[in-house]
Amino acid sequence: MKNENIKIDNHIQNNIQFVDCLEFWVSNAKSFIKSFLQPINFEVIGMRFNDERSRIQYLLLNNVISRCNLQKQFQIENNSYIKPIQGNQFIKVTSSISPNDFDFHSKIQKHGDFIQNISFYCNDINLAYNKSINNGAKSVQLPMKEYFKNCRDTVETAIIESPFKDLQHTFINRNITSFNSSNSNNDNNNNNNNNNNKNNNFGNPLFLYPEFEEIKDKELFKIQDKEESINGSTGSLDHIATCIKNGEMNYFVEWYRKCLGFKLLSDKESVDESENLENELILDKNFYVITKSDFKYTKKENIGLKMAVLSNQPLNTPYHKTPPIQFVISEAIPGGEGQIEQFIHYFGGEGVQHLAFNSNDIFKAVEIAKSQKLEFVYIPQSYYSRLDERLKHLFPNSIPKILKENLMKFGILIDSDAITNSNEIDNNKNNNNNNNNNNNNNNNNNNNNNNNNNNNNNNNNNNNNNNNNNNNNNNNNNNNNNNNNNNNNNNNNNNNGNNNNDNDNNDTQNNIEINQNIGYIKQIFSKYITDRPTMFFELIERSNALGFGKGNIIALFESLEKESSGSQKK
């Protein structure tokens, strides 16, 4: 997901900006990293011991080509974070090396390997901390400032308990000025002032975590030779998915609204903030609800879930296709026997179930992960045999052959924002047919597009001359294809069409008709990464889509149950 023009301080209204780092607590850090994190393009760049030397901690970052020249690989903005934020993600992995570390071992015994801390980058950690405490959060660590490297670098942190037991939230802000001195020492011709360096600087990302030391043993977590083209195959965090018990949704949603200022999100209309929270829950304005009625084929009675999505940023801002923080809460149903109930049972309570990472090329990401033995869930053949029917509103002339072959080859799921709403699908079909058969539709479309479209018809001759020089402009594409609207949906493009080009090369190169007014996702889930069926990873590639694969949940469940039923008959 590419966001070249992100200016964090100006564009995100919430004081809490993005997920700075995730921390795992695991029984065996080396094995965990090699088995599950390196296959999805995360590499170790630093390590440290705690003060008591009872725990060891590793710092990982994705898109690392080599540890030898980290300072040349990453651009640092405002002396505080890697740019762009939606392309990179830090992860800490902590393990105990002391038999007397009872706090650590007791939690591992209860939960297995788990997410222990989610840290948020904030403009003002004192503001974030005081807001959360004043609204009922419990303090773990008061706001504090640490100094490093002769007091040139500062890191501010504060820690609170989340509503999930044994999960903490850290607020963090930093000012790492040693980037400037490091660059000036390495470049004899560097005459830039500190202000310029602060805004746009290449530097070693390890400097952002000055408590960590570089890995001196070149054979430890050795990074295999990589091509720069793999960058972005696994990007930053797309969303964090959690599981809670039935009847707890109100409490968790209200906690994140009040303590962190997060908003309830929906793929539908926005909700008036003056509305009562209980009314929002009843009306399902902000929830994805799956019940037994959504399944055409199932023998199980007690299946379903209610899912809320919270974020620090509204959807569809001019600067983000999706918000930088998406916190998904899935609630079990009464007497349920599904995935949510299973997690709560084996985890010993409520917590983080899976992490989803962005990808700008999910096929490449999965190919790399599988080559390093990461296992993904099995997708039955029957799932793909029904795709043309399920996605008819998205691919009116059937799914492109190459796309479908790659989906089947790598076991990847595909879903659209409109797939679960048959009324919307029918309306889209009717609208498309009306558009294709209406001779005056070009003028209407131009009125609905950007201001740049307003001059298309008035300056038709000029536009024709400019088409050769502006092939990437959607407005000119409309002129070039003015007489071929029945073969293309370019005349229906919105601003989102530009964003589609970033992720959909495999889909659009085949000149197959795609309804670009509908966003869609490609996603895949790893198998559980421990013996307990509690935690797994997801890779997701978004094409102007805001959903989380509700259609895939239903289709995959039914496909697996059909296959299971068929094998039993044989």
Side-chain angles (χ1 to χ4, degrees):
M1 191 177 295
K2 300 178 180 179
N3 291 278
E4 300 295 339
N5 298 318
I6 291 178
K7 298 293 185 183
I8 295 175
D9 294 339
N10 295 329
H11 294 166
I12 300 178
Q13 301 304 315
N14 197 308
N15 176 44
I16 298 175
Q17 300 280 289
F18 55 89
V19 175
D20 188 81
C21 187
L22 303 154
E23 181 176 350
F24 288 90
W25 277 19
V26 302
S27 57
N28 188 329
K30 286 186 177 180
S31 177
F32 186 88
I33 291 169
K34 292 178 180 179
S35 299
F36 306 120
L37 295 180
Q38 285 186 320
I40 57 173
N41 199 27
F42 282 88
E43 301 291 354
V44 177
I45 63 171
M47 62 179 292
R48 66 181 287 265
F49 293 95
N50 63 344
D51 293 338
E52 298 80 14
R53 292 190 69 84
S54 61
R55 298 176 187 174
I56 188 170
Q57 194 172 66
Y58 298 97
L59 180 67
L60 294 89
L61 179 64
N62 58 334
N63 299 322
V64 175
I65 303 299
S66 169
R67 282 199 295 261
C68 296
N69 57 349
L70 284 173
Q71 69 278 3
K72 297 180 180 179
Q73 299 174 44
F74 296 93
Q75 189 172 353
I76 311 299
E77 188 164 319
N78 294 332
N79 291 340
S80 299
Y81 44 80
I82 298 176
K83 178 185 178 182
I85 60 167
Q86 290 186 304
N88 301 280
Q89 185 65 61
F90 284 105
I91 291 178
K92 295 177 184 177
V93 179
T94 303
S95 186
S96 176
I97 57 176
S98 169
N100 300 319
D101 191 350
F102 298 114
D103 178 59
F104 185 94
H105 293 303
S106 63
K107 291 175 180 176
I108 289 291
Q109 184 178 16
K110 180 178 181 180
H111 303 301
D113 296 346
F114 72 107
I115 298 288
Q116 189 271 342
N117 193 300
I118 300 170
S119 92
F120 300 108
Y121 183 87
C122 305
N123 289 330
D124 186 336
I125 70 160
N126 290 287
L127 179 63
Y129 177 84
N130 291 333
K131 177 182 176 67
S132 62
I133 297 301
N134 291 338
N135 283 284
K138 296 180 180 180
S139 176
V140 175
Q141 175 199 295
L142 293 170
M144 63 177 292
K145 181 182 290 189
E146 295 181 273
Y147 296 87
F148 300 89
K149 296 186 178 179
N150 297 323
C151 297
R152 291 187 311 225
D153 298 341
T154 60
V155 178
E156 296 179 90
T157 57
I159 306 175
I160 62 171
E161 291 183 6
S162 81
F164 296 90
K165 186 173 178 59
D166 299 327
L167 173 64
Q168 299 176 351
H169 290 321
T170 297
F171 304 124
I172 187 168
N173 187 287
R174 56 176 73 88
N175 185 25
I176 310 297
T177 60
S178 56
F179 282 125
N180 301 333
S181 60
S182 174
N183 280 355
S184 61
N185 290 335
N186 292 331
D187 186 355
N188 294 328
N189 297 321
N190 186 1
N191 294 319
N192 294 331
N193 59 43
N194 286 338
N195 289 332
N196 288 335
N197 285 335
K198 181 176 180 179
N199 293 329
N200 189 4
N201 207 5
F202 280 87
N204 189 334
L206 189 59
F207 283 20
L208 297 174
Y209 287 86
E211 69 272 25
F212 283 84
E213 298 179 355
E214 65 178 326
I215 302 292
K216 297 179 181 178
D217 183 352
K218 294 183 179 180
E219 296 301 316
L220 181 62
F221 300 111
K222 185 176 181 179
I223 300 178
Q224 302 298 324
D225 293 337
K226 294 183 179 181
E227 300 177 1
E228 290 193 19
S229 60
I230 71 166
N231 279 5
S233 61
T234 303
S236 63
L237 200 64
D238 181 87
H239 63 270
I240 300 167
T242 64
C243 297
I244 63 172
K245 298 175 183 176
N246 176 256
E248 296 292 323
M249 182 67 84
N250 287 30
Y251 168 72
F252 281 87
V253 169
E254 190 73 349
W255 191 96
Y256 279 99
R257 280 166 58 106
K258 287 184 175 180
C259 295
L260 300 189
F262 287 0
K263 306 291 185 182
L264 278 164
L265 300 182
S266 173
D267 59 348
K268 303 177 184 178
E269 62 187 272
S270 61
V271 173
D272 186 350
E273 284 298 311
S274 64
E275 291 187 25
N276 180 270
L277 175 62
E278 182 64 27
N279 289 337
E280 293 176 17
L281 300 183
I282 294 173
L283 296 173
D284 289 330
K285 285 188 177 180
N286 293 84
F287 292 84
Y288 302 85
V289 180
I290 297 178
T291 64
K292 188 178 184 300
S293 62
D294 290 307
F295 295 85
K296 296 180 180 178
Y297 178 91
T298 181
K299 295 179 180 179
K300 292 186 177 181
E301 295 294 331
N302 298 324
I303 58 172
L305 60 85
K306 175 185 283 185
M307 187 170 74
V309 185
L310 297 108
S311 178
N312 65 327
Q313 181 80 350
L315 295 175
N316 278 334
T317 69
Y319 307 101
H320 302 281
K321 285 190 284 185
T322 55
I325 298 176
Q326 294 189 104
F327 212 85
V328 180
I329 303 176
S330 295
E331 182 188 57
I333 65 171
E337 50 182 343
Q339 190 181 93
I340 311 303
E341 294 80 8
Q342 176 180 264
F343 173 89
I344 292 170
H345 173 74
Y346 285 100
F347 187 77
E350 294 143 328
V352 177
Q353 181 202 42
H354 75 266
L355 303 174
F357 295 99
N358 290 304
S359 176
N360 62 17
D361 189 341
I362 195 169
F363 298 128
K364 182 179 291 184
V366 173
E367 183 178 31
I368 293 171
K370 286 186 173 182
S371 71
Q372 299 187 46
K373 308 303 182 185
L374 183 63
E375 298 178 334
F376 293 91
V377 296
Y378 167 70
I379 310 299
Q381 185 69 27
S382 56
Y383 170 86
Y384 297 103
S385 65
R386 299 170 57 194
L387 277 185
D388 284 329
E389 177 185 352
R390 287 181 58 235
L391 298 175
K392 192 178 299 182
H393 58 289
L394 181 61
F395 300 102
N397 295 336
S398 79
I399 298 177
K401 181 179 179 182
I402 294 178
L403 173 60
K404 191 170 185 179
E405 288 176 351
N406 282 328
L407 293 172
M408 296 174 65
K409 175 182 177 181
F410 295 105
I412 292 171
L413 307 171
I414 186 170
D415 195 17
S416 91
D417 281 346
I419 198 167
T420 56
N421 191 327
S422 58
N423 291 331
E424 287 183 11
I425 293 172
D426 291 337
N427 288 337
N428 285 333
K429 284 182 182 178
N430 292 333
N431 289 336
N432 286 336
N433 290 333
N434 289 336
N435 289 337
N436 289 332
N437 293 318
N438 191 336
N439 292 330
N440 296 322
N441 200 40
N442 290 330
N443 293 330
N444 295 330
N445 283 336
N446 288 335
N447 290 332
N448 291 328
N449 281 342
N450 285 337
N451 292 334
N452 291 333
N453 289 337
N454 292 334
N455 296 324
N456 277 357
N457 292 326
N458 294 331
N459 300 295
N460 194 39
N461 293 332
N462 292 332
N463 284 340
N464 287 333
N465 293 329
N466 292 328
N467 279 339
N468 293 331
N469 296 323
N470 297 287
N471 289 330
N472 292 325
N473 188 300
N474 283 337
N475 307 328
N476 293 333
N477 285 338
N478 284 338
N479 289 327
N480 288 335
N481 297 303
N482 196 39
N483 296 322
N484 297 308
N485 288 327
N486 289 326
N487 296 326
N488 295 290
N489 278 339
N490 289 334
N491 57 315
N492 294 323
N493 283 351
N494 292 322
N495 292 337
N496 292 340
N498 289 327
N499 296 328
N500 270 347
N501 292 335
D502 292 338
N503 293 323
D504 298 339
N505 291 332
N506 292 330
D507 308 341
T508 58
Q509 286 176 350
N510 303 295
N511 295 322
I512 303 295
E513 185 179 6
I514 300 177
N515 187 342
Q516 296 190 29
N517 288 323
I518 300 177
Y520 67 100
I521 63 172
K522 297 190 282 284
Q523 63 185 157
I524 190 170
F525 301 94
S526 74
K527 290 185 178 180
Y528 292 111
I529 60 178
T530 64
D531 291 330
R532 299 191 193 199
T534 52
M535 188 165 59
F536 56 91
F537 294 135
E538 174 186 352
L539 297 177
I540 183 169
E541 182 178 334
R542 294 185 180 273
S543 301
N544 295 325
L546 305 173
F548 295 87
K550 177 179 176 180
N552 278 334
I553 295 174
I554 298 169
L556 181 57
F557 183 93
E558 291 184 334
S559 296
L560 289 170
E561 189 155 333
K562 272 188 175 182
E563 183 160 296
S564 175
S565 176
S567 63
Q568 289 176 2
K569 290 180 180 180
K570 293 180 181 179

